[in-house]
Amino acid sequence: MTPEQSPTVRHRRLARQLREARKHSGMSMEAAAAALGWSRPKLVRFETAKTRPRPADVAAMLDLYGGGDAIKLALVQLAKDIRKRGWWAAFNDVLTGSFAELEDDAVRIRTWQVQFVPGLLQISDYALALIRIGSPEQSEAVHLRRLQARMARRTILERQEGSSLAVILDEAVLRRPVGGPEVMARQLDALVNESKKSNISLRVLPAASGEHAGMDGPFVVLSFEGALDPDVVYLEGMGGEIYVEDVGQVNRCNVRFDRISDQALSEERSVQLIADIAKEYRQTDEPPS
């Protein structure tokens, strides 16, 4: 699918909720379609996010399935909001997948990172160094365009009702001089400043911890407002983006984040370590040992 054809996050969420509402009612797809006066393929397209249902279609489905007025009103509103686009729409040329939209919609973000500072906390020079090394085949114009998109993401933490962000960094992230010592010192200074914000929690898992619960790799858990929106886990690697929505797997990731947190330094000690390493970068041209 091209980005224009792909269902939005809201559309996928609506399709999932309509499918679950029908199953909870005990109705088969054939029975529901017949009761609604629709063909089975039409209902299939609604439940698989192939076709956008009108708010009136959603209301008819919820009237049939039951479940209460609150759920009906929430899903009808969701149907009305499907076509709304956010800041990411202006960067369709460099943004792929649905992560930016999910991240923008989340009220709580928990991330464990082992290679680099998460995008929401990156300064521009640090981000550009990562973009260049990750996509050497692309032109500098594309690199700068991707940098614009990454910097635009940061605004979600500045909104009046901004998302809460809990970050745990492996100590190796702090000691990897992305962009060189001078850039790295400024990036770590920026982390210290960001940690002062009430909606940001920043902690470090020290190398001395030995084996730990996060050795399988990094992940992001996105939580949304309301019971209709279950958590989503985001994984990124050489194979592309993976979105985990299975409740059991998501719960395991949340438990794993808690276990990593148990081994991490306190926020105060973490910030002190970051500040100390920043000083080391400024005192030498070599990475701190």
Side-chain angles (χ1 to χ4, degrees), residues 108 221-224 229-233 244-246 250-251 254:
R108 185 177 71 154
V221 183
L222 302 159
S223 301
F224 308 93
D229 301 328
D231 291 357
V232 174
V233 172
V244 180
E245 299 182 68
D246 176 78
V250 170
N251 286 341
N254 274 315

Side-chain angles (χ1 to χ4, degrees), residues 42-248:
K42 178 177 179 177
L43 185 57
V44 169
R45 290 194 298 271
F46 286 162
E47 290 194 3
T48 56
K50 297 295 191 298
T51 301
R52 295 186 180 100
R54 298 172 302 162
D57 295 326
V58 173
M61 295 166 78
L62 270 296
D63 284 340
L64 176 64
Y65 303 153
D69 289 341
I71 292 177
K72 177 181 175 181
L73 289 172
L75 294 185
V76 168
Q77 186 61 49
L78 188 55
K80 293 177 181 177
D81 292 342
I82 278 178
R83 292 181 182 272
K84 289 184 179 179
R85 305 302 298 273
W87 65 265
W88 55 88
F91 295 97
N92 276 344
D93 54 326
V94 290
L95 289 178
T96 60
S98 299
F99 182 72
E101 188 176 353
L102 281 167
E103 184 181 66
D104 187 79
D105 210 28
V107 296
R108 185 177 71 154
I109 302 168
R110 307 172 89 197
T111 178
W112 155 243
Q113 294 294 336
V114 300
Q115 296 289 355
F116 47 75
V117 172
L120 289 174
L121 299 179
Q122 291 174 8
I123 64 170
S124 59
D125 287 339
Y126 182 96
L128 187 56
L130 289 175
I131 290 168
R132 284 171 173 160
I133 196 66
S135 306
E137 74 286 356
Q138 294 179 337
S139 69
E140 185 67 2
V142 173
H143 291 161
L144 293 175
R145 180 67 173 154
R146 292 182 61 193
L147 177 63
Q148 283 183 308
R150 190 164 301 183
M151 294 300 102
R153 286 172 54 195
R154 293 171 56 95
T155 60
I156 71 172
L157 297 175
E158 307 296 335
R159 295 185 301 221
Q160 185 173 5
E161 303 270 332
S163 305
S164 69
L165 175 66
V167 176
I168 305 178
L169 299 175
D170 189 278
E171 185 178 343
V173 172
L174 309 178
R175 299 191 180 278
R176 182 172 294 108
V178 173
E182 189 271 333
V183 168
M184 199 63 197
R186 288 193 287 111
Q187 175 63 78
L188 297 189
D189 287 342
L191 289 181
V192 171
N193 288 330
E194 294 287 351
S195 72
K196 299 173 184 176
K197 296 178 180 177
S198 61
N199 61 327
I200 295 177
S201 168
L202 181 59
R203 300 177 64 190
V204 176
L205 182 73
S209 295
E211 67 275 12
H212 56 80
M215 296 183 74
D216 284 347
F219 58 88
V220 182
V221 183
L222 302 159
S223 301
F224 308 93
E225 189 173 11
L228 291 179
D229 301 328
D231 291 357
V232 174
V233 172
Y234 171 76
L235 307 169
E236 183 179 12
M238 289 292 291
E241 300 176 341
I242 299 174
Y243 299 90
V244 180
E245 299 182 68
D246 176 78
V247 174

Side-chain angles (χ1 to χ4, degrees), residues 263-283:
Q263 292 182 265
L265 299 175
S266 67
E267 291 186 44
E268 182 178 352
R269 291 179 61 196
S270 295
V271 171
Q272 186 59 59
L273 176 61
I274 294 169
D276 289 344
I277 296 176
K279 289 179 183 177
E280 294 178 37
Y281 277 117
R282 282 192 290 270
Q283 292 169 356

